[in-house]
Amino acid sequence: MASFQAFLNEVVADHRERTQSGEMRALSPVLREHLGADPRGIAVVSEEVPAYRFVDLDVALTEIQERDEQAQLLGIGGGEQRNHHSLGELLEMAGRFQRFPVGAVDYSSLATGPQSKREAVSFGLRLFSYAGSPVAVLQRAAAPRYGNSVARMEILSAAPGVAAALIAEVHELMVLRSVLRGQVLSLGGSDFEPGIEGITFHQRPALTPDDIVLPAGLLDRVHRHVAGVARHRERLRAAGQHLKRGLLLYGPPGTGKTHTVRYLLGALPDLTVVLLSGPSIQFVSHAARMARALQPALVVLEDCDLVAENRDFSAGAQPLLFEVLEALDGLSDDADVAFLLTTNRVDVLEPALAQRPGRIDLAVEVPLPDQGARRLLLARYARGIAFSPAVLDEVATRADGMTASFIKELVRRAVLIAAEANRDATDDDLTLAVNEMLDEAQNITRSLLGTAVGGA
Ligand SMILES: Nc1ncnc2c1ncn2[C@@H]1O[C@H](COP(=O)(O)OP(=O)(O)OP(=O)(O)O)[C@@H](O)[C@H]1O
Ligand SMILES: [Mg+2]
């Protein structure tokens, strides 16, 4: 106890000395000098932004601050405690207890693209002049550990109306300069914290139409519905036509719905894309808001049947699906936003969609490949492997009822079998692979259906 007491005394003495010697600057006088008034007498205007828009907030405030050549950026010391208090409280305590002196600015490195980062001010006080008046803005990132799930700026300005004008311009710049624009993003959360933790940027996949085997015209129709409307935006608007659109891709698992989405992302480089799949569909209203701000945009809801069956928050029946439908409907008609839903359980979704018509204006079935498509898929996935046309024909026939992903795996299996024997794949390997896989498919189906082998 005694040595701890001694230690504390030392810390306090040191602190006082450094403050008095000017080595450590107290916060209040600095603010008073900048604002021309006692900061404690000025109301703090606080504005929250979602955590995933924090980089945009940093970009916007930096740009505004840089217009003032005399601007300063300061940090606030005082350790973790800072995170528990609002700017008003910090000022109060800084004045009374000489805590929270001027300190180092905190930065954090945040993604601004699949391969780029920005050092953003995660806790820092910007002092600059705005619209002719001095303002101080405390910028802070979300800090879930301290219960702050959103980012915020806290503005001090003695002049009436200045804080509101600054907030308005910040919001404008956050949209105009958004690092999210034109990116492929997914929103993520964690199971432990409510709300969105952050965004993940994705590389745009580069697939060519040749990489996808689908019935003739299917890819074009989907592409046209998403891109054509965007391309003729002005003309459609002028003719009073709506731009908002909803697409549904449905079909059995492994037929290429996700593959088609990936192709579209590459084919539409100007679109901002928000990808939501499975549990992250709960962020659909955030995604819709983002899409509207960053249009032209595409919101992809992958495997959205999962939502239809999700009764986790069951206040009523299927509230999450309801939210999805609301988001589809909630955007104004002239928003250049496309919603693309995929499902392999259209039977689950259909009733809900049928009850509220107008949400989906193009529904496209992605079917199981027919004989010709299977043959093409084999050729595609066996490019560069010396299989004979005869065995490809035969395997295509035998794989009747199987999916594109089955065929892809089939070729890989043949190559693997050959590799085990330390040689290149031959026709026999492909035949062996198809025998094995058809057999497995049979067994799985049987066990799923619960029928014993040989019948019961
Ligand atoms: N039509 C296709 N043409 C070429 N390759 C395909 C096609 N369909 C599927 N594949 C291959 O199979 C893989 C799995 O397909 P994909 O993920 O697109 O299926 P899906 O329809 O989205 O299934 P699920 O309903 O299970 O989500 C793809 O990554 C691709 O390599
Ligand atoms: Mg899929």
Side-chain angles (χ1 to χ4, degrees), residues 111-116 179-180 182-188 198-206 262 265-266 269 271 273-277 280:
T112 55
Q115 275 166 340
S116 54
V179 301
L180 310 178
Q183 301 277 7
V184 177
L185 325 155
S186 56
L187 302 179
I199 44 180
T200 308
F201 293 89
H202 301 274
Q203 216 57 273
R204 271 192 149 75
R262 289 164 52 78
L265 302 190
L271 245 58
V273 182
V274 188
L275 296 174
L276 301 177
S277 62
S280 70

Side-chain angles (χ1 to χ4, degrees), residues 254 256-259 302-303 342 344:
K257 299 177 295 294
T258 302
H259 210 43
E302 275 254 55
D303 303 319
T342 74
N344 53 39

